[in-house]
């Protein structure tokens, strides 16, 4: 356990300018504490994906930095990638293995863990997402919801501290959304720190302790859901229709 | 089309050590090229059919798919029967049908069938990952070869194939539903299909590389472990013996 005053993850004036001079994110300062459940909302193209891809060092900032336990992530990028798990929006491109089990094993094998241990880790991860019976299937034949859960298993197998979900509900049917949402809530309860990108606040806001809105690459809203919910509609995020004062009712669970 | 696809089963041949299996493939292919008498062909043929049965490969489906190769076989047969390549300095000459050349045609066709069947057994019982690990293992002792780099390239292509196939189906369906078939110029149609495919392929490569990186891909990974059972050696010995028989 690290010192409480040092956030688990922190970005300092994070800025990313693409080669074509497009400023994707601008001066983002954010502190993520252990046990947080943060929702990042924002219109399409507001920079959500670009932002989270800095958090495990997939993208390198043009300006600013990312700290994990107070240490710049560039100091040890492999450790950061293990600790910060990222579930991509498109599950298809995240499938590396020929079978479900092999796909989950990809990460642990990269960490050069011994084969016996990898087997155990894979079994645990598959059990955690309820895919044990599909271990030998071709992952490309799974349903969208199952592919999403496979991606989660692949990340769990790395024993991360933080799990980031990039728009996980897109393209899922109603039971699929419920299942992934339940998984998210369970993971949070199991002690993982969660960052969830979604603009469908009505589905999950009740579970979050912080809401952040990005607009054209800038962090424009940050605070507890109840305090800032009335601000979101200005930035292209649909204001949930129900009684806004009760953000705790904003969930698709139960 | 399931030809040359991996078909997951739990059989002796599926569990077999990939390194020995690759040796067996080599031996059978060599045997096929040395075979000259009918019983040698028969021996190899029965060996392959038995292994397909043992591996529980869907033989009827496979044979069904093989009909595309029938065209190639007939072509080989005809070329060998009617054309003699007497020596490389004179060009190909057409000659009257003779018994020996007809026989040679049959031999060529027979060998081709055997090699195709051997490849079907190999690909049907060996996952691409095992295949990759096997190649990697055989590359190990060779100096001056960037083994890790080659292994990465193999992994990437393995990941890429199903995605590109999906993408191909999607794109071609999308274009069909907008009546691309009315476009009679096949070259134009090919271009219409290829451009979006290449574009999507490039985009997806980026994503796959990100996906691999975010799960800590590096070129020093846990080495694959191979397990060699007694039956694996038995299969290899069988292949060696048939090879010797074909040398006779
Ligand atoms: N590889 C890239 N090259 C140039 N611009 C990019 C690239 N990736 C994203 N962008 C731009 O950055 C901005 C933010 O994109 P993104 O983070 O994907 O938005 P979203 O909030 O929908 O996830 C967009 O304007 C997008 O066009
Ligand atoms: Mg996005």
């Amino acid at each position: 356990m690290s010192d409480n005053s040092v956030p688990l993850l922190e970005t300092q004036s994070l800025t990313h300018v693409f080669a074509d001079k497009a400023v994707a994110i601008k001066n983002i300062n954010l502190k993520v504490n252990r046990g947080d459940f943060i929702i990042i909302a924002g219109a399409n193209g507001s920079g959500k994906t670009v932002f989270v891809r800095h958090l495990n060092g997939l993208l390198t900032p043009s300006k600013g930095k990312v700290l994990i336990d107070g240490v710049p992530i560039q100091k040890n990028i492999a450790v950061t990638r293990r600790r910060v798990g990222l579930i991509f929006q498109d599950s298809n491109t995240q499938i590396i293995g020929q079978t479900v089990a092999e796909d989950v094993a990809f990460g642990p094998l990269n960490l050069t863990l011994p084969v016996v241990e990898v087997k155990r880790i894979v079994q645990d991860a598959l059990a955690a997402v309820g895919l044990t019976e599909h271990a030998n299937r071709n992952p490309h034949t799974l349903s969208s919801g199952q592919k999403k859960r496979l991606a989660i298993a692949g990340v769990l197998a790395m024993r991360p501290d933080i799990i980031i979900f990039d728009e996980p509900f897109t393209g899922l049917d109603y039971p699929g959304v419920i299942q992934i949402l339940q998984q998210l809530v369970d993971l949070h309860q199991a002690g993982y720190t969660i960052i969830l990108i979604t603009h469908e606040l009505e589905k999950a806001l009740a579970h979050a302790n912080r809401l952040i809105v990005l607009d054209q690459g800038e962090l424009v809203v940050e605070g507890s859901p109840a305090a800032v919910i009335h601000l979101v509609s200005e930035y292209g995020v649909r204001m949930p229709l129900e009684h806004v004062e009760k953000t705790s009712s904003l969930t698709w669970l139960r | 089309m399931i030809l040359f696809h991996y078909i997951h089963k739990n059989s002796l041949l599926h569990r077999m050590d990939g390194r020995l299996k690759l040796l067996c493939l080599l031996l059978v292919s060599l045997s096929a090229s040395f075979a000259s008498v009918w019983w040698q062909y028969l021996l190899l043929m029965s060996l392959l059919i038995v292994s397909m049965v043992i591996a529980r490969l869907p033989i009827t489906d496979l044979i069904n798919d093989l009909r595309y190769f029938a065209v190639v076989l007939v072509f080989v047969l005809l070329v060998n029967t009617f054309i003699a390549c007497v020596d490389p300095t004179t060009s190909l000459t057409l000659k009257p049908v003779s018994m020996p050349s007809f026989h040679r045609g049959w031999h060529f066709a027979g060998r081709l069938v055997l090699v195709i069947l051997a490849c079907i057994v190999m690909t049907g019982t060996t996952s691409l990952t095992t295949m990759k690990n096997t190649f990697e293992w055989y590359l190990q002792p060779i100096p001056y070869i960037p083994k890790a780099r080659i292994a990465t390239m193999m992994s990437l292509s393995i990941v890429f194939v199903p995605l590109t196939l999906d993408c191909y189906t999607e794109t071609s369906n999308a274009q069909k539903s907008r009546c691309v078939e009315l476009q009679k110029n096949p070259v134009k149609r090919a271009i219409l299909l290829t451009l979006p495919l290449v574009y999507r392929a490039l985009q997806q490569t980026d994503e796959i590389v990100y996906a691999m990186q975010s799960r800590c891909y590096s070129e020093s990974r846990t080495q694959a472990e191979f397990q060699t059972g007694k039956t694996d050696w038995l299969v290899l010995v069988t292949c060696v013996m048939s090879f010797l028989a074909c040398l006779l």
Side-chain angles (χ1 to χ4, degrees):
Chain A
M1 268 282 148
S2 58
D3 185 355
N4 260 351
S5 61
V6 179
L8 178 54
L9 199 64
E10 181 178 3
T11 68
Q12 292 176 352
S13 44
L14 203 64
T15 301
H16 192 102
V17 184
F18 279 106
D20 56 2
K21 301 278 189 301
V23 184
I25 53 171
K26 216 181 313 182
N27 268 324
I28 298 190
N29 294 298
L30 180 71
K31 288 191 173 112
V32 180
N33 296 311
R34 223 168 257 279
D36 268 351
F37 189 133
I38 300 179
I39 288 187
I40 304 182
N44 287 335
S46 57
K48 305 180 296 290
T49 300
V50 171
F51 175 61
V52 295
R53 285 188 177 184
H54 282 83
L55 300 184
N56 71 347
L58 285 183
L59 292 176
T60 317
S62 319
K63 193 176 131 276
K65 55 187 165 184
V66 181
L67 309 173
I68 189 160
D69 283 334
V71 183
I73 59 168
Q74 264 73 26
K75 287 263 153 60
N76 197 338
I77 204 79
V79 170
T80 306
R81 296 218 171 118
R82 185 192 70 68
R83 295 184 58 189
V84 183
L86 185 55
I87 315 281
F88 288 33
Q89 183 171 355
D90 180 3
S91 317
N92 284 315
T93 48
Q94 215 173 356
I95 296 173
I96 313 281
Q98 296 280 293
T99 66
V100 168
E102 199 189 297
D103 187 74
V104 179
F106 179 75
L109 288 177
N110 288 335
L111 301 174
T112 60
L113 299 177
V115 174
V116 230
E117 200 184 331
V118 172
K119 271 203 181 122
R120 215 195 55 241
I121 292 175
V122 169
Q123 275 170 3
D124 291 351
L126 284 178
V129 298
L131 283 180
T132 307
E133 64 197 294
H134 299 294
N136 287 319
R137 259 179 70 184
N138 174 354
H140 287 278
T141 64
L142 297 175
S143 73
S144 313
Q146 287 170 328
K147 280 181 189 166
K148 197 56 86 183
R149 272 145 64 201
L150 173 60
I152 296 175
V155 163
L156 285 181
M158 312 279 288
R159 307 265 160 89
D161 297 322
I162 306 177
I163 309 181
I164 304 172
F165 295 81
D166 194 348
E167 307 205 18
F169 307 131
T170 327
L172 297 188
D173 54 11
Y174 180 69
V177 171
I178 299 293
Q179 219 162 17
I180 297 299
L181 185 55
Q182 186 65 56
Q183 188 92 59
L184 256 151
V185 171
D186 291 347
L187 288 171
H188 183 234
Q189 250 147 33
Y192 293 100
T193 303
I194 305 282
I195 298 178
L196 167 63
I197 298 183
T198 182
H199 42 245
E200 295 150 295
L201 296 180
E202 69 281 1
K203 289 181 182 162
L205 192 61
H207 308 287
N209 66 336
R210 229 162 1 132
L211 173 62
I212 283 164
V213 179
L214 296 188
D215 183 47
Q216 297 181 22
E218 287 184 88
L219 197 162
V220 286
V221 170
E222 184 191 352
S224 78
V228 299
I229 180 78
H230 60 282
L231 299 171
V232 298
S233 55
E234 275 179 55
Y235 303 106
V237 181
R238 177 174 166 271
M239 178 83 139
L241 284 178
E242 286 113 295
H243 311 293
V244 186
E245 63 274 13
K246 269 178 63 195
T247 46
S248 60
S249 66
L250 296 176
T251 173
W252 272 22
L253 289 184
R254 268 182 307 110
Chain B
M1 187 81 171
I2 52 165
L3 220 52
F4 305 123
H5 280 215
Y6 173 62
I7 300 156
H8 187 81
K9 292 271 160 62
N10 187 13
S11 80
L12 172 87
L13 286 176
H14 284 83
R15 288 189 306 265
M16 188 176 171
D17 184 339
R19 300 168 301 177
L20 295 190
K21 216 188 310 185
L22 192 64
L23 276 186
C24 289
L25 174 71
L26 282 179
L27 279 171
V28 170
S29 311
L30 277 180
S31 314
S33 60
F34 281 115
S36 49
V37 202
W38 64 269
W39 64 263
Q40 293 173 328
Y41 286 105
L42 201 66
L43 173 75
L44 291 174
M45 192 59 127
S46 15
L47 189 71
L48 286 167
I49 289 177
V50 167
S51 37
M52 285 168 95
V53 173
I54 290 178
R56 289 188 280 134
L57 297 180
I59 296 181
T60 39
D61 292 346
L62 287 168
I63 289 176
N64 206 12
D65 282 351
L66 269 177
R67 64 180 189 276
Y68 298 107
F69 277 92
V71 184
V72 181
L73 285 181
V74 170
F75 181 72
V76 168
L77 202 60
L78 288 179
V79 165
N80 276 286
T81 313
F82 291 104
I83 295 174
C85 187
V86 184
D87 80 75
T89 50
T90 67
S91 59
L92 295 172
T93 49
L94 215 60
K95 56 162 193 187
V97 182
S98 68
M99 239 12 222
S101 58
F102 186 63
H103 273 264
R104 208 188 39 205
W106 274 109
H107 281 304
F108 267 103
R111 281 167 198 160
L112 203 59
V113 169
L114 288 173
V115 171
I116 290 172
L117 285 183
C119 287
I120 289 176
V121 174
M122 180 76 191
T123 52
T125 60
T126 319
S127 74
L128 287 173
T129 314
T130 313
M131 209 89 96
K132 180 205 127 217
N133 291 340
T134 307
F135 285 127
E136 216 180 331
W137 190 87
Y138 277 112
L139 287 178
Q140 286 300 329
I142 307 176
Y144 309 119
I145 283 195
K147 295 135 201 155
R149 200 49 54 84
I150 293 176
T152 305
M153 270 155 48
M154 287 193 284
S155 310
L156 262 177
S157 13
I158 290 173
V159 173
F160 216 72
V161 169
L163 279 183
T164 312
L165 283 181
D166 275 356
C167 187
Y168 170 82
T169 322
E170 284 285 303
T171 312
S172 94
N173 283 341
Q175 297 194 348
K176 271 185 202 147
S177 65
R178 283 160 71 191
C179 298
V180 76
E181 265 117 350
L182 296 180
Q183 168 67 259
K184 290 287 175 239
N185 183 343
V187 179
K188 251 192 188 158
R189 258 166 63 180
I191 292 175
L192 279 176
L193 189 60
T194 318
L195 283 183
L197 265 184
V198 171
Y199 180 72
R200 285 255 319 252
L202 288 177
Q203 259 185 342
Q204 285 187 330
T205 320
D206 275 356
E207 287 288 303
I208 293 171
V209 169
Y210 279 141
M212 288 172 79
Q213 279 183 350
S214 74
R215 281 159 83 188
C216 297
Y217 186 82
S218 77
E219 292 187 339
S220 59
R221 318 178 63 219
T222 307
Q223 293 286 310
E225 278 178 11
F226 294 94
Q227 270 157 3
T228 324
K230 283 204 190 73
T231 44
D232 296 0
W233 290 108
L234 212 65
V235 175
L236 184 64
V237 169
T238 316
C239 289
V240 171
M241 292 203 312
S242 5
F243 176 64
L244 293 178
C246 290
L247 283 183
L248 288 180

